[in-house]
Amino acid sequence: MTRPNDTGRTGVGPGVDSTGSPEHHNQTCAFDRLLSGASDEAEQRYQLELYKGIRFLQNRWQSAPGSNSPTVANAAASVMADPNRGARPINQSLLRTLQIRQTQAHNELRKTVPGQAQAANTLSILADVNDSGLDDAPDVSSLVVIELTDRLFDYLLARDDLPELSKNLLTYLYAPLLKLALADATFFERAEHPARMLLNSLVEASARWTSPNGDCQHDVYAKVFAIVLHLLAEFRHDAQVFADLHRDFNRDIQDLARRQALLEHRAVDKAQGEDTLRIARRRVYDEVQQRIQRRTLSSTVIFLLLQPWFDYLVFVFLRSGDSSNAWQQALQIIDELLYSLEPGQNSLEPLRAAKSSPDLSVSAAEILPMLERGLGAIDYDQTKGRTLLNAIQMQQTMAQQGREVAPAPASMRRKLEAIVAERTGIDALAVDEEAGLDVLQWVDAGAWIDTDEGERLKLAWQSCATGDYLLLDQRGRKVALVSATQLGRDLLTGKMIMVHRDNKVFFEGALESIYQNLNARAGGNGGL
C-alpha cells in the first residue's frame, strides 16, 4: 500500500530560499491543510484502505490458533460484511459507563489549572468489559471499536512531536470519542468525519505551538483546553458539536498560521539580506587584501581602502555585481592609486593591465575625481572625504618626487584589519571539520528541534555562504543564527533533539501505525 504524494523527506534543502521556492510553497500548503484536519480525495481513499486492512488483520490475527479473543475477530468480519454501517444502537450499560467516565473527566479537568492537566485515569474501558463491570456484555462489533479506539490513543501517547501536557489534555477525549465511534460506524471509515478533522487539527496545532517546557504560543493550549472541556460537558450523541467546534477552531488557527508565516517570511528575508551582505563583504575583503597585504602603505591609504572605499566596493557589488564595469573600474581605481603612490613611478601612465581594457582604464588625473564620486555615492562625510583626498594628493606628489611616505603604525593597521574582518565574519566562514557535521546530512531547513531547555525551534533557513542555520521560535521570531558545526555538535550530545514531523494528518498516521503493528503480528501478510 503506497501513500499518495509520499515523496519522502519534506522541508527546504540547505541553501534554498525557504520562502520563495516551490518546495517551500508546497510545504506551507501541506501544513495549512494539516491544521485544517482535512485530507484530499486520494488520501481519503488511502485511509479507507488502511481501515479495511486493519479489519482484515484483526480477523486474521484473532482467528489464529491459540488466540483467546475470538469475539473481536468475529466482530471484525461481521462489521465489514454489514452493508448498513452508519448510525447504530449502543449497548446501554456501556453507554452509561462511558457517560459516567465523561462526567468524571469533566469534573476533574474543570478543577485543573490549564497547563497542569495530568493524563486521564485508565484510558481503556476494556478492563471494565473483561472484569464484567457492565450489566450486560457489549456485542462483538462494540469490542472491535473499543480496541481500535484504544490503539488510536496509544498512538497519540507515543507521538514524539506532541508535548506531554498536550498529550495529557487530549486523553480526556477518550470517552466522548469512543461513545461517538460506537454510535457512528463511519468515524473510522470516513476521513472527513467532523470528529476526526477536529482531532487532527487539535493535535497539529498542539504540536506546532506548544513547547515541551510548557510554553504555548497564541494561547493555543487554552483554546484546546476549552474545546476538550466543552465536549466533556456537552456531547451526548450529536456529532454536530464536533463540526461546530472544528469550524471555529480552524478559523482561528488558520489566521494564526498566516500571521506566523508572515513573521517567518520577514525573518528569513532579513537573514538572506544579511547573508548577501556578508558574501559581498567577504568578496571585497579578499580583493582589498590581495592588493595591500604585501605593501607598505600610509595610514591615510590604509584607512581609505579599509573603511570608505571598502564600503563603496560593497555598494557596487550589491548593486551591479562582480561582472559589471562599475565593479571592475572600482577595483582598477585601487590598482591605479597604489601604482601612483610608488616612489619614482610615472603616474601619468595608467597600469599596463588597464590598457587591454580601454573602457576601464583610469588615468592619474581621474583617480581623485573618481574617488570623490565613489565616496559621494555612499554619502560619506564631505569634510572627512576632502581631508582624505587632499592627503592622497599630497602623497602622490611626494611619490613623483621620489620621496617615501611614513608607513602606517603596525598597531593601527592591525586594528583596522581586525575591524573589517569582524564585520566580514571571517571567523564564521572558516572551514571546520570537527565531528558533528555528518549528522546534518539528514537535517533540512524547515525541520523542528527541541532544546534541552524545553524550547521548540524551527530551522527556518540555511545560509549558502556560511552554512549557518536560522532558528525561529514557534511564533516565527528569530532566536539565533547558529553554525552548522555547533548545531551538529548539539544534536550529537543531545543538547538538541530532532522532532519527527509527518506530512500527514494525525488520524492517517494512527491508522498506519495500527495497520503496521497488526501486520507485524500476522507475519507481514496483511494482504495490502
Side-chain angles (χ1 to χ4, degrees), residues 76 122 134-135 158-159 189 225 286 305 322 396 431 505:
T122 313
L134 304 179
D135 295 337
R159 290 269 298 217
E189 295 179 358
F225 187 94
D286 291 342
L305 297 182
D322 59 357
Q396 286 177 324
V431 176
V505 295

Side-chain angles (χ1 to χ4, degrees), residues 465-479:
T466 66
D468 292 348
Y469 285 86
L470 174 66
L471 301 183
L472 304 181
D473 65 15
Q474 290 175 301
R475 282 183 177 267
R477 300 173 301 190
K478 178 180 176 180
V479 174

